Amino acid sequence: MRNSGTLEGFGSGPVAMTVLKNAIPAILAMLMVLVYNLADTFFIGQTHNAYQVAAVSLATPVFLTFMALGTVFGVGGTSVISRALGEKRMDYALKVSAFCMWSCVAVGIVVAVLFYLFMDELLLLIGASTETWELTRDYLNIVTLCGPFVLIGNCFSNILRAEGQPTRAMTGMVAGNLLNVVLDPVMILGFGWGVTGAAIATVIGNLAGAAYYILYFLRGNSNPSIGLSEFTAGEGVCRSVLGIGIPASLGSLLMSVSQIVTNSLMSGYGDMAIAGIGVAMKVTMMIGMVSIGLGQGIQPLLGYCIGAKNWERYSGILRFSLLLSLVLGVTLTGVCYLFTDAIVSAFLTQPEALEYSVQFARILLSTSFLFGIFYCLINALQAMGAAAASFLINISRQGLIYIPALFLLRQLMGVNGLVWAQPVADLLSLLLAAVLYGVSFTRLKQGNAGSLGMIPAADSI
């Protein structure tokens, strides 16, 4: 295997250094995603047009659908590949990688075409008003062009970590998002293109990120392949990837759906409320992105230990990661709470939208310090192949718990109730994740791997 040396640290060496070596690049990559998201909103905010800010807020959950679909193959592929490498099954890892690549291409094209064909229905669904309809349409018509490349970028930024390449995994994502950030002020303000300029910058950035990963594989730097000749949906490949990937992606997909529902309900309070909640979510996004990055960074480590049945190291990695996630969560939440006004005022100048956003952000920050613990547990479940548990948690946090809470709390508390629904869902989902993790880990150590969605044994293929 070309990169076998990079995998040695997965099973040996100091736990803290191993976690940090893999988690820091993943965290930096997610922070770059945050910078990209903030840059779009920041530079559009400099147009002093709150309707353009609202339009990007409305379009964001639709664009996130592509990222969620990339997660299907990225998280699912990472889980299967890391366990296969722990079992020294290199050929199987190669087939999984090729399956993920070509599935991203096919699914990305199909979804992009569907979005184009049903754009009017989509705009109606997400709650676009007369003032934001054309702005939102302009943005979505352009960003949909990069759909397949968003899937590829999100997929392989995960898979490279599975083969012990966290820095390369980070580089592709950072390169694409950095290019986007550089182009944003030029196209939004310099050319005066507003949301159209933001969309064009997004397309170029995602093209660049996907190109980096494709070239990495084409140059033969990796043992896993993206060659079409290696593609197969058989031999348990499709079942193993989708068994973990679909539950994992449901969190992101339902996040898009729930944000659409939230925006639709929020539209009853006016476009300024929509702009306010869009920016408020970005205040907590920094904590969320760091937490997601930490979880993604440790998943291949945990999966490798499970494949090698190295339980002592597995437990050490998870314990250290949970402690680190809590420290980071408390620190970042405190910083965001202290500087909420300054952060929000960088994106909004309209007084009504500004007031909404500060109020909403402080509500959302009430549970953000727990994000890291949640993402460590959910990534541990994905690493062990606990498809059913992962599925239940992901449909609960942004679906079964959150969406009913939106309607119930709106009736009780009005517009603030729509915001409090998220902290309520965060707490209940964390409790659910802790219980299901305990049950799944006990079953795994007792040898009931098949019920957790483990990859097929070599002699069963």
Side-chain angles (χ1 to χ4, degrees):
M1 182 177 180
R2 296 181 186 88
N3 293 319
S4 58
T6 63
L7 295 173
E8 292 176 358
F10 278 26
S12 62
V15 166
M17 289 302 298
T18 301
V19 170
L20 293 175
K21 180 181 177 181
N22 285 273
I24 288 175
I27 291 172
L28 291 176
M30 295 310 297
L31 285 176
M32 198 62 225
V33 174
L34 171 66
V35 171
Y36 141 68
N37 276 279
L38 295 180
D40 264 8
T41 306
F42 174 78
F43 289 114
I44 289 173
Q46 301 314 298
T47 66
H48 304 294
N49 184 338
Y51 291 115
Q52 291 198 49
V53 176
V56 174
S57 298
L58 289 167
T60 296
V62 180
F63 180 68
L64 288 176
T65 302
F66 287 112
M67 298 181 70
L69 291 170
T71 299
V72 171
F73 304 104
V75 173
T78 297
S79 176
V80 178
I81 290 171
S82 61
R83 282 178 283 140
L85 293 176
E87 297 171 3
K88 310 303 181 186
R89 295 172 60 189
M90 310 308 177
D91 290 343
Y92 196 76
L94 183 149
K95 293 173 182 177
V96 172
S97 179
F99 169 79
C100 292
M101 171 65 188
W102 294 103
S103 296
C104 283
V105 173
V107 172
I109 291 172
V110 169
V111 174
V113 170
L114 289 174
F115 279 179
Y116 272 119
L117 293 177
F118 298 99
M119 184 61 71
D120 286 341
E121 291 81 0
L122 192 58
L123 292 170
L124 188 63
L125 177 66
I126 62 179
S129 67
T130 303
E131 290 80 6
T132 59
W133 187 280
E134 288 302 322
L135 291 169
T136 310
R137 177 198 287 277
D138 291 344
Y139 187 88
L140 287 177
N141 275 336
I142 295 170
V143 299
T144 299
L145 291 170
C146 66
F149 303 102
V150 176
L151 265 73
I152 292 171
N154 276 272
C155 175
F156 285 95
S157 64
N158 283 283
I159 285 179
L160 262 64
R161 283 193 287 270
E163 62 163 329
Q165 294 289 339
T167 302
R168 290 186 183 275
M170 173 192 71
T171 301
M173 187 173 288
V174 169
N177 288 324
L178 184 60
L179 180 58
N180 191 337
V181 171
V182 170
L183 291 175
D184 265 343
V186 176
M187 295 188 171
I188 295 171
L189 301 174
F191 295 164
W193 291 348
V195 293
T196 300
I200 294 172
T202 296
V203 171
I204 295 173
N206 279 280
L207 280 169
Y212 172 86
Y213 295 120
I214 292 171
L215 287 173
Y216 171 78
F217 283 97
L218 291 179
R219 288 174 178 170
N221 294 321
S222 170
N223 190 66
S225 168
I226 61 171
L228 187 57
S229 61
E230 301 294 340
F231 174 88
T232 179
E235 303 183 23
V237 171
C238 180
R239 174 168 55 85
S240 298
V241 171
L242 298 186
I244 293 300
I246 290 176
S249 72
L250 281 175
S252 299
L253 282 171
L254 284 172
M255 189 178 295
S256 296
V257 172
S258 63
Q259 192 170 340
I260 289 170
V261 174
T262 302
N263 287 338
S264 180
L265 294 174
M266 194 70 75
S267 65
Y269 300 92
D271 288 321
M272 296 304 101
I274 293 176
I277 191 63
V279 172
M281 288 179 175
K282 294 186 186 302
V283 174
T284 60
M285 192 181 290
M286 176 175 69
I287 307 158
M289 288 299 186
V290 169
S291 302
I292 291 171
L294 176 59
Q296 289 180 346
I298 67 170
Q299 184 187 330
L301 300 177
L302 296 175
Y304 187 91
C305 291
I306 290 169
K309 294 182 171 53
N310 188 343
W311 303 117
E312 182 179 355
R313 186 165 179 80
Y314 171 93
S315 298
I317 288 171
L318 186 59
R319 282 197 302 269
F320 177 80
S321 301
L322 288 170
L323 177 61
L324 178 61
S325 71
L326 183 60
V327 171
L328 288 173
V330 171
T331 302
L332 292 174
T333 297
V335 171
C336 287
Y337 196 90
L338 288 173
F339 296 99
T340 300
D341 291 273
I343 296 170
V344 169
S345 61
F347 302 98
L348 293 168
T349 55
Q350 210 282 343
E352 185 182 2
L354 184 65
E355 182 179 355
Y356 269 130
S357 192
V358 171
Q359 182 178 332
F360 293 163
R362 287 183 171 150
I363 293 173
L364 293 175
L365 286 167
S366 63
T367 53
S368 59
F369 69 98
L370 297 171
F371 287 173
I373 296 175
F374 176 82
Y375 284 110
C376 281
L377 292 177
I378 194 70
N379 276 277
L381 284 166
Q382 291 161 3
M384 67 177 69
S390 179
F391 173 81
L392 181 57
I393 294 169
N394 280 300
I395 65 171
S396 296
R397 183 170 185 256
Q398 295 298 143
L400 295 180
I401 297 174
Y402 179 64
I403 292 177
L406 282 171
F407 290 93
L408 176 62
L409 293 178
R410 182 185 64 160
Q411 292 298 318
L412 295 174
M413 304 170 65
V415 66
N416 283 346
L418 292 175
V419 189
W420 273 110
Q422 188 62 68
V424 169
D426 289 341
L427 285 175
L428 294 178
S429 298
L430 178 58
L431 291 174
L432 178 63
V435 171
L436 291 178
Y437 172 79
V439 172
S440 299
F441 185 66
T442 300
R443 290 171 60 192
L444 179 66
K445 290 200 70 175
Q446 288 175 347
N448 296 326
S451 62
L452 293 178
M454 299 298 280
I455 61 178
D459 57 4
S460 70
I461 296 175

